[in-house]
C-alpha cells in the first residue's frame, strides 16, 4: 500500500527514473519469492507503461527484469538474451550502476555453460565501480567461483587473496553475498572437505546448502551421500515447483475470476447498450412520428392560415365597403344633425324670440331634419350585421328604442306647434319649445355617437397627426361642452398638474372621447363636484381623468359597462354606446381607458396617454 502511494507520488511529479526503479524492485521481490506469474504480469505492464508514456530510454529496465525472471526459472539462455538487450539499451555514461548490474547478471547466466565468457563480462565492468570495496568484493566472489569452475587454481588464489583481504581488513565494506560458495571452493581446492562441509552447513538457504554439499560429495567420490543430496535437491525442487504451480494456479484462477467479472460487466453493458439502443430507436421513431404529425399539421395550419388570410381579406374588403357606406350616410346626416343642434342651441336661449308667422317654417325644418335622420337609421343599424360588431336583434331593438322614441316625440311636438299656426298661448309654447330643444339635442348627439361607433367601433388604428397642448385641449373640450341641455346642469372643475407647454400628438377624436365621458359623469352625478383633470404619471406619461360624486360602479361591472348596447338598469332607455365608443376611440389612438375601482366617491374614468 505504501509502495503504491509512493509510486503515485512519483508519477504525479513525473520522476520517471525513480518511478521505474521502484517498479523494478517490486518485480525483483516477486521473482525472489517465486511469484513468477505476478512478476511476469508486472513486467508486461511495466513495458506497456514505458511505451505509452514515450519513455523508451527506460526499456532496459523490463529487459533486466526478464533476465532475472528467466535466471530464477533456471533458463540461463533466455536470461542471457534479455541481459544483452538491456546492455544495448542502457546509457553507460548516465547509468553506470545499471551497466554494472547488467554485466554482473549476464556473467552469472553465462557461468553455468560458458565460464570464459562470464569472466570476460566481469572484465567489462566499469572500473570506477570497482573502487568501491562493496562492489569489488562482490565481483571478486564471482571471479573465484568461475575460476573454480574452470579449474584455474592460480587465478582462484589470486582472486581469493584479494577477496579474503577485504573480508579480514574491511568487514564493513565486504559483500558476503557469495561467501559460502567461495569458501567451499577454497577448501575443496585445498582438499579440506571437513571445512568445506562446515561452510555448506552455514548457508542459510537450503537449496544453496544442498547444491554445495552435492559438489563436495561428488568431489570426494562419496556417491551414496551425493545420491541422497540429489534426492533432497529433487525433493526441494519439486516442492518449489509445486508451490510455484499452486501460486500460479491461484493467480490464474484470480485472473479467470477477473475475466469472468469483466465478461459479466461486458454482458451487462451489452444489455444496457441494447436497452439504450432500443430506447433510442423508440425515441427516434417517436420523433419521426412527431415530425410527420407536425408536417401534416403545419400543412393543415398553412391551409387554415391561407383561408383566414382570404377571410380577413374579404372581411377587410367588406369592412371597407361598410365604412364607405356609413361614411356616406354620415355625410348625409351631418346637415340634419347640425340643423337640430343649431336649433337646440338657439331655442335654449330664453331671450330668443321667434315671430308667430316664422314658427311654421322653422319647425318644419326641424321635422324635416328629424325625418331625414329617422329614414337613415335603419340602414346604419343594418350595416352592423355586416361588420365586425355584428349586433343581435335585441341590441338592434335597444338602438331603435333609444332613437325612435325621442325622434317621434320631437316630430310630434313640432307638428303640434306647426298645426297651431301661432295660436298657442305663450307659456304653453315655451314649454313645447323647451321640450323640442332637449329632444333635438338628444337625437342629434345620439345619432352622432351611433354613427361614430359604427365607424370606429372596430378599434382600428387611426392616424395621430394633430399636435396640441394637453391643458389647452382639455380646456377647449370643457368650454365647448353643451351641458346646458342636461337634465341636471353641473359646474365642471378643471384641475391639472401638467405644465401648459406640454404638447401631445393626438387625433381630434380625443375630444369626442372626453365628451362621452363627460356625458356619463354628468348624467349620473348626485353631488356638485365634477372634475376634469390632467396628470403626470410616475413613468413620465400623462393621463386624463373625469370624475363625479354619485353612485359607484361595482368592480364586477368595471368591464361590463364598456360593452356596447348594455344598460345596467332596466329603467334606462339610453343608446348604450357612449362608454363603448370612448373605449374604442382610446384603443384606436393607442390609449387605455379604465374605470378607477379605487375611487369610492362616485365614478372616475382614466384615459392613459401613451
Amino acid at each position: 500500500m505504501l509502495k503504491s502511494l509512493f509510486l503515485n507520488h512519483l508519477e504525479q511529479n513525473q520522476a520517471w527514473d525513480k518511478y521505474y526503479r521502484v517498479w523494478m524492485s517490486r518485480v525483483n521481490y516477486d521473482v525472489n519469492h517465486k511469484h513468477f506469474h505476478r512478476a511476469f504480469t508486472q513486467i508486461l505492464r511495466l513495458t506497456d507503461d514505458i511505451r505509452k508514456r514515450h519513455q523508451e530510454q527506460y526499456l532496459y529496465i523490463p529487459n533486466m527484469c526478464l533476465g532475472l525472471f528467466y535466471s530464477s526459472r533456471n533458463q540461463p539462455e533466455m536470461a542471457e538474451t534479455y541481459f544483452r538487450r538491456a546492455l544495448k539499451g542502457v546509457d553507460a555514461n548516465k547509468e553506470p550502476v545499471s551497466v554494472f548490474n547488467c554485466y554482473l547478471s549476464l556473467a552469472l547466466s553465462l557461468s553455468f555453460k560458458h565460464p570464459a565468457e562470464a569472466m570476460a563480462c566481469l572484465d567489462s565492468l566499469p572500473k570506477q565501480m570497482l573502487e568501491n570495496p562493496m562492489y569489488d568484493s562482490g565481483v571478486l566472489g564471482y571471479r573465484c567461483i568461475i575460476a573454480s569452475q574452470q579449474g584455474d587454481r592460480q587465478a582462484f588464489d589470486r582472486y581469493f587473496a584479494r577477496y579474503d583481504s577485504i573480508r579480514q581488513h574491511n568487514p564493513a565494506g565486504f559483500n558476503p553475498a557469495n561467501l559460502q560458495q567461495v569458501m567451499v571452493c577454497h577448501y575443496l581446492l585445498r582438499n579440506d572437505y571437513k571445512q568445506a562441509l562446515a561452510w555448506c552447513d552455514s548457508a542459510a538457504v537450503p537449496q544453496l546448502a544442498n547444491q554445495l554439499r552435492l559438489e563436495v560429495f561428488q568431489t570426494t567420490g562419496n556417491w551414496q551421500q551425493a545420491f541422497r543430496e540429489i534426492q533432497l535437491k529433487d525433493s526441494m525442487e519439486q516442492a518449489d515447483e509445486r508451490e510455484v504451480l499452486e501460486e500460479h494456479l491461484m493467480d490464474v484462477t484470480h485472473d479467470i475470476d477477473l475475466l469472468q467479472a469483466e465478461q459479466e460487466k461486458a454482458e451487462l453493458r451489452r444489455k444496457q447498450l441494447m436497452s439504450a439502443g432500443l430506447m433510442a430507436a423508440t425515441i427516434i421513431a417517436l420523433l419521426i412520428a412527431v415530425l410527420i404529425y407536425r408536417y401534416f399539421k403545419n400543412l393543415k395550419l398553412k391551409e387554415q392560415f391561407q383561408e383566414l388570410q382570404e377571410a380577413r381579406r374579404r372581411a377587410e374588403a367588406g369592412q371597407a365597403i361598410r365604412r364607405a357606406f356609413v361614411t356616406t350616410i354620415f355625410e348625409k346626416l351631418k346637415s340634419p344633425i347640425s340643423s337640430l343642434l343649431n336649433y337646440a342651441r338657439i331655442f335654449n336661449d330664453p331671450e330668443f324670440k321667434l315671430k308667430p308667422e316664422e314658427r311654421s317654417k322653422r319647425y318644419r325644418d326641424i321635422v324635416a331634419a328629424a325625418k331625414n335622420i329617422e329614414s337613415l337609421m335603419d340602414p346604419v343599424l343594418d350595416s352592423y350585421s355586416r361588420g365586425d360588431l355584428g349586433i343581435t336583434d335585441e341590441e338592434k331593438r335597444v338602438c331603435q328604442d333609444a332613437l325612435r322614441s325621442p325622434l317621434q316625440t320631437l316630430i310630434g311636438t313640432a307638428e303640434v306647434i306647426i298645426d297651431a299656426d301661432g295660436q298657442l298661448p305663450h307659456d304653453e309654447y315655451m314649454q313645447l319649445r323647451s321640450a323640442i330643444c332637449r329632444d333635438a339635442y338628444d337625437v342629434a348627439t345620439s345619432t352622432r355617437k351611433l354613427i361614430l361607433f359604427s365607424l370606429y367601433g372596430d378599434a382600428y388604428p387611426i392616424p395621430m397627426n394633430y399636435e396640441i397642448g394637453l391643458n389647452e385641449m382639455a380646456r377647449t373640450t370643457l368650454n365647448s361642452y353643451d351641458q346646458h341641455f342636461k337634465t341636471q346642469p353641473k359646474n365642471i372643475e378643471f384641475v391639472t398638474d401638467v405644465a401648459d407647454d406640454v404638447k401631445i400628438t393626438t387625433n381630434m377624436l380625443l375630444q369626442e372621447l372626453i365628451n362621452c365621458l363627460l356625458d356619463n359623469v354628468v348624467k349620473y352625478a348626485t353631488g356638485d363636484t365634477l372634475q376634469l383633470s390632467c396628470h403626470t404619471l410616475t413613468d413620465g406619461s400623462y393621463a386624463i381623468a373625469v370624475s363625479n360624486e354619485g353612485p359607484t360602479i361595482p368592480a364586477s361591472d368595471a368591464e361590463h359597462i364598456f360593452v356596447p348596447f348594455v344598460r345596467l338598469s332596466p329603467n334606462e332607455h339610453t343608446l348604450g354606446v357612449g362608454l363603448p365608443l370612448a373605449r374604442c376611440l382610446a384603443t384606436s389612438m393607442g390609449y387605455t381607458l379604465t374605470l378607477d375601482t379605487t375611487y369610492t366617491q362616485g365614478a372616475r374614468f382614466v384615459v392613459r396617454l401613451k
Side-chain angles (χ1 to χ4, degrees):
M1 181 66 181
L2 291 175
K3 189 168 285 188
S4 297
L5 292 174
F6 185 54
L7 278 174
N8 292 335
H9 172 73
L10 294 175
E11 182 181 9
Q12 291 175 359
N13 290 276
Q14 297 185 354
W16 302 122
D17 184 70
K18 293 182 180 179
Y19 176 75
Y20 291 123
R21 289 188 183 281
V22 172
W23 203 332
M24 181 180 179
S25 68
R26 294 175 61 179
V27 174
N28 291 340
Y29 175 84
D30 288 335
V31 169
N32 293 333
H33 289 79
K34 301 186 183 301
H35 302 152
F36 295 120
H37 177 75
R38 189 188 311 164
F40 191 76
T41 304
Q42 287 290 331
I43 294 171
L44 294 179
R45 288 179 56 198
L46 174 60
T47 305
D48 291 340
D49 188 86
I50 291 173
R51 286 178 175 153
K52 180 180 178 181
R53 300 183 192 276
H54 302 289
Q55 300 291 330
E56 284 77 6
Q57 68 271 24
Y58 296 107
L59 280 174
Y60 73 90
I61 292 179
N63 284 323
M64 285 185 64
C65 291
L66 284 170
L68 294 172
F69 174 83
Y70 286 112
S71 179
S72 298
R73 296 293 299 271
N74 293 321
Q75 294 177 272
E77 293 84 1
M78 292 294 295
E80 176 190 349
T81 300
Y82 284 103
F83 284 133
R84 291 189 183 279
R85 288 184 184 178
L87 280 171
K88 290 180 180 179
V90 68
D91 188 341
N93 296 323
K94 294 182 179 180
E95 301 287 345
V97 176
S98 298
V99 172
F100 181 87
N101 291 332
C102 284
Y103 273 118
L104 200 61
S105 300
L106 178 59
L108 179 62
S109 300
L110 292 171
S111 64
F112 294 100
K113 295 184 179 180
H114 307 286
E117 292 184 24
M119 192 66 78
C121 285
L122 294 178
D123 293 337
S124 302
L125 291 172
K127 302 302 180 183
Q128 68 270 23
M129 297 296 297
L130 297 178
E131 295 176 0
N132 188 328
M134 182 67 69
Y135 291 118
D136 189 27
S137 59
V139 172
L140 287 171
Y142 278 116
R143 287 183 182 276
C144 291
I145 295 171
I146 295 172
S148 174
Q149 291 175 349
Q150 291 177 319
D152 189 347
R153 175 70 180 269
Q154 185 178 2
F156 179 87
D157 290 340
R158 186 172 65 251
Y159 296 139
F160 182 78
R162 291 170 54 193
Y163 179 81
D164 193 54
S165 175
I166 296 173
R167 184 171 74 93
Q168 296 292 338
H169 299 98
N170 189 8
F174 177 72
N175 187 346
N178 298 308
L179 177 61
Q180 289 81 9
Q181 291 175 274
V182 173
M183 297 307 294
V184 168
C185 292
H186 171 69
Y187 285 111
L188 283 177
L189 290 175
R190 292 179 177 275
N191 298 322
D192 189 349
Y193 304 121
K194 185 177 180 180
Q195 286 294 328
L197 287 173
W199 277 103
C200 291
D201 294 337
S202 68
V205 180
Q207 290 85 348
L208 178 60
N210 171 259
Q211 180 65 33
L212 294 175
R213 282 195 296 269
L214 178 60
E215 292 178 3
V216 172
F217 291 136
Q218 286 177 341
T219 303
T220 59
N222 189 347
W223 302 111
Q224 185 176 3
Q225 289 295 332
F227 179 73
R228 290 177 181 174
E229 293 298 329
I230 290 173
Q231 285 182 324
L232 180 60
K233 179 181 179 181
D234 290 341
S235 175
M236 286 190 293
E237 287 180 352
Q238 288 177 2
D240 288 343
E241 288 294 331
R242 184 168 55 253
E243 183 179 349
V244 170
L245 286 174
E246 288 176 355
E247 184 174 349
H248 182 69
L249 182 61
M250 290 176 62
D251 290 339
V252 170
T253 303
H254 179 67
D255 290 344
I256 291 173
D257 292 339
L258 291 177
L259 288 174
Q260 288 179 344
E262 289 296 327
Q263 187 176 6
E264 291 175 358
K265 290 181 181 179
E267 181 66 19
L268 179 61
R269 284 195 294 269
R270 186 183 69 82
K271 291 180 180 179
Q272 290 175 344
L273 288 174
M274 289 182 63
S275 300
L278 182 61
M279 291 178 63
T282 304
I283 293 172
I284 291 172
L286 289 174
L287 289 175
I288 292 173
V290 169
L291 289 175
I292 294 173
Y293 169 76
R294 291 186 64 180
Y295 172 76
F296 286 106
K297 184 178 180 180
N298 288 338
L299 285 180
K300 187 175 181 180
L301 289 175
K302 185 177 180 181
E303 293 176 359
Q304 292 176 347
F305 177 74
Q306 291 174 347
E307 292 175 358
L308 287 174
Q309 288 287 88
E310 180 62 22
R312 181 177 179 181
R313 186 190 63 78
R314 290 196 298 266
E316 288 178 350
Q319 184 69 7
I321 294 172
R322 191 186 71 82
R323 277 175 172 269
F325 171 73
V326 175
T327 302
T328 301
I329 293 178
F330 189 33
E331 292 298 324
K332 293 181 179 180
L333 287 175
K334 280 183 179 180
S335 178
I337 289 173
S338 297
S339 178
L340 290 181
L341 282 175
N342 290 333
Y343 276 118
R345 291 185 179 113
I346 293 172
F347 289 165
N348 192 57
D349 184 3
E351 301 298 326
F352 176 74
K353 304 296 183 182
L354 188 63
K355 295 179 180 180
E357 60 271 17
E358 294 178 350
R359 293 177 184 173
S360 178
K361 180 179 182 308
R362 301 303 180 189
Y363 287 106
R364 281 192 176 90
D365 291 341
I366 292 174
V367 171
K371 288 184 176 181
N372 196 356
I373 291 174
E374 184 180 26
S375 66
L376 293 174
M377 277 302 97
D378 284 338
V380 172
L381 294 175
D382 290 340
S383 71
Y384 279 115
S385 62
R386 296 189 294 272
D388 291 342
L389 299 175
I391 65 173
T392 63
D393 291 339
E394 177 62 24
E395 291 170 340
K396 184 176 180 181
R397 187 194 63 78
V398 170
C399 293
Q400 290 173 340
D401 176 60
L403 287 174
R404 290 189 187 281
S405 179
L407 271 172
Q408 291 173 357
T409 302
L410 174 62
I411 293 171
T413 305
E415 287 178 345
V416 168
I417 295 176
I418 293 170
D419 292 341
D421 194 20
Q423 301 301 317
L424 288 173
H426 179 72
D427 292 340
E428 183 179 352
Y429 166 71
M430 292 302 293
Q431 289 179 358
L432 293 175
R433 193 177 86 166
S434 177
I436 287 175
C437 177
R438 287 194 303 271
D439 290 339
Y441 180 81
D442 290 341
V443 168
T445 54
S446 296
T447 302
R448 180 177 176 82
K449 287 180 182 178
L450 184 62
I451 294 295
L452 289 175
F453 186 71
S454 179
L455 287 173
Y456 302 105
D458 49 16
Y460 277 15
I462 56 178
M464 308 287 280
N465 51 14
Y466 179 64
E467 185 176 357
I468 188 174
L470 179 58
N471 291 336
E472 179 186 355
M473 185 277 305
R475 291 189 182 98
T476 301
T477 303
L478 190 58
N479 292 334
S480 63
Y481 181 65
D482 291 317
Q483 69 157 322
H484 302 290
F485 299 98
K486 308 305 176 185
T487 55
Q488 296 178 344
K490 302 287 184 180
N491 291 323
I492 303 176
E493 178 186 12
F494 175 67
V495 178
T496 181
D497 59 17
V498 180
D500 285 338
D501 59 351
V502 173
K503 295 185 178 298
I504 60 171
T505 301
T506 184
N507 190 284
M508 288 297 295
L509 289 172
L510 180 58
Q511 293 187 7
E512 294 288 347
L513 187 159
I514 297 174
N515 281 332
C516 291
L517 299 179
L518 289 172
D519 285 346
N520 187 275
V521 297
V522 169
K523 178 179 178 181
Y524 294 103
T526 57
D528 295 330
T529 302
L530 285 83
Q531 190 177 88
L532 171 64
S533 56
C534 298
H535 304 281
T536 302
L537 302 179
T538 55
D539 60 358
S541 59
Y542 303 100
I544 301 173
V546 179
S547 61
N548 68 2
E549 288 183 351
T552 58
I553 300 174
S556 58
D557 290 328
E559 288 299 318
H560 189 55
I561 58 176
F562 294 107
V563 177
F565 313 113
V566 168
R567 295 170 176 172
L568 296 182
S569 172
N571 297 323
E572 289 188 19
H573 296 281
T574 57
L575 187 59
V577 294
L579 291 179
L581 173 60
R583 168 67 70 84
C584 291
L585 290 174
T587 304
S588 297
M589 289 184 280
Y591 305 153
T592 57
L593 169 60
T594 56
L595 173 70
D596 185 0
T597 55
T598 63
Y599 185 76
T600 58
Q601 298 175 1
R604 185 172 187 265
F605 298 95
V606 179
V607 182
R608 180 165 181 165
L609 310 180
K610 62 180 179 179

